[in-house]
Amino acid sequence: MIVIHILCSEKSEAETIIELLIEEQLIWNATISKKTFYEEKDKERIGTNDKFLITAKTRSLLFQSVNHLLRDIYKDHMPLLYCIPIVYMDPQQSDMLLKQTLKI
């Protein structure tokens, strides 16, 4: 099992992605957090802007399906997508995740 992180520019985009991934049973549940994102603008200056971070739990084998779905929708501006492994999870919650996500 993994936690997926998706970094979006707009809150509405994050909400749309969550709804789609839940409908497709690719994630169990999700949260949105507003974050300040720092990036190098040029060699002498660091810029900031607000981003919206989606965190969602899913099966590790569904990561590629999430990636392909988002790639198809966001061909020109794919949100940053990566995952973090879940080392341990409460057994009842783990069972719920398995029941709520797509069977492979």
Side-chain angles (χ1 to χ4, degrees):
M1 285 173 254
I2 58 174
V3 175
I4 288 182
H5 285 191
I6 305 168
L7 197 61
C8 302
S9 299
E10 303 291 329
K11 184 177 181 183
S12 60
E13 179 182 41
E15 291 168 343
T16 300
I17 289 171
I18 288 171
E19 289 173 10
L20 176 64
L21 295 177
I22 288 175
E23 285 175 8
E24 296 293 322
Q25 295 183 313
L26 294 175
I27 61 174
W28 175 33
N29 58 21
T31 61
I32 299 173
S33 303
K34 186 176 180 180
K35 303 290 183 186
T36 301
F37 187 69
Y38 294 81
E39 61 187 340
E40 185 177 329
K41 293 292 184 186
D42 53 47
K43 295 291 181 190
E44 300 182 19
R45 185 172 66 95
I46 302 289
T48 64
N49 56 31
D50 289 335
K51 299 279 186 169
F52 296 88
L53 177 64
I54 299 169
T55 57
K57 291 181 278 311
T58 191
R59 299 170 186 236
S60 56
L61 293 174
L62 293 177
F63 181 84
Q64 288 301 331
S65 297
V66 171
N67 188 47
H68 290 306
L69 181 63
L70 294 179
R71 271 269 166 229
D72 288 344
I73 295 170
Y74 299 100
K75 291 177 177 37
D76 297 328
H77 61 285
M78 171 75 173
L80 177 63
L81 169 67
Y82 61 94
C83 69
I84 299 170
I86 296 174
V87 176
Y88 184 77
M89 187 174 188
D90 175 78
Q92 288 178 331
Q93 293 175 354
S94 179
D95 288 343
M96 183 61 89
L97 187 152
L98 295 174
K99 288 177 187 172
Q100 297 295 322
T101 54
L102 194 63
K103 310 299 182 257
I104 297 177

